[in-house]
Amino acid sequence: MQRRPIIYLLAIVIIILVVINHNDQKQEELLPVISREQIFEDFKNQTGEVWLNFPASFTGTSGELFYLGQELNGKPVTKVYRIYRPESGELYYELHDEWDNVKLPANQFETYYLVEGEWIKTRK
């Protein structure tokens, strides 16, 4: 059996895989995102006890959720925000739901607390 056709076939398969992988990476890079830093900036003027919860896999792309928690009148309130991408392509987020008396478990999310106008990953 000749080895040359097998080597050529393997080379073609490797080249195809590299091209497909490269195209997937470029598409991921082109997807618009809303960064955590942008969200931090948008909510830094909140008052009282405030925290943000992000799922561990949060990337800031369309369809994802993040959560703003606040202590209101001694009870927690969690506001659910969803990221949207209209046909214009510009991402934005808006309030999707609000849960009274619900505080998400900090150990299941990346939780940031607002302390003196700065977001920190651990509590005071």
Side-chain angles (χ1 to χ4, degrees), residues 17-102:
L17 290 174
V18 167
V19 168
I20 290 172
N21 187 33
H22 182 70
N23 286 341
D24 287 345
Q25 288 176 350
K26 277 192 168 189
Q27 286 179 351
E28 287 177 9
E29 292 171 4
L30 296 177
L31 288 177
V33 297
I34 294 179
S35 69
R36 292 178 192 202
E37 289 73 24
Q38 181 180 349
I39 294 168
F40 292 149
E41 185 67 25
D42 292 344
F43 289 104
K44 76 176 185 179
N45 294 324
Q46 300 289 316
T47 58
E49 188 174 347
V50 180
W51 59 92
L52 280 166
N53 294 99
F54 296 98
S57 61
F58 183 82
T59 58
T61 57
S62 180
E64 288 191 303
L65 302 174
F66 66 92
Y67 310 87
L68 174 71
Q70 296 176 295
E71 196 74 30
L72 298 175
N73 300 323
K75 295 183 180 181
V77 174
T78 298
K79 296 179 181 179
V80 182
Y81 287 88
R82 179 179 293 274
I83 299 175
Y84 294 94
R85 182 178 180 201
E87 290 182 21
S88 68
E90 282 291 317
L91 288 181
Y92 70 97
Y93 58 85
E94 66 180 27
L95 186 63
H96 178 70
D97 203 354
E98 187 171 316
W99 304 328
D100 293 332
N101 297 318
V102 174

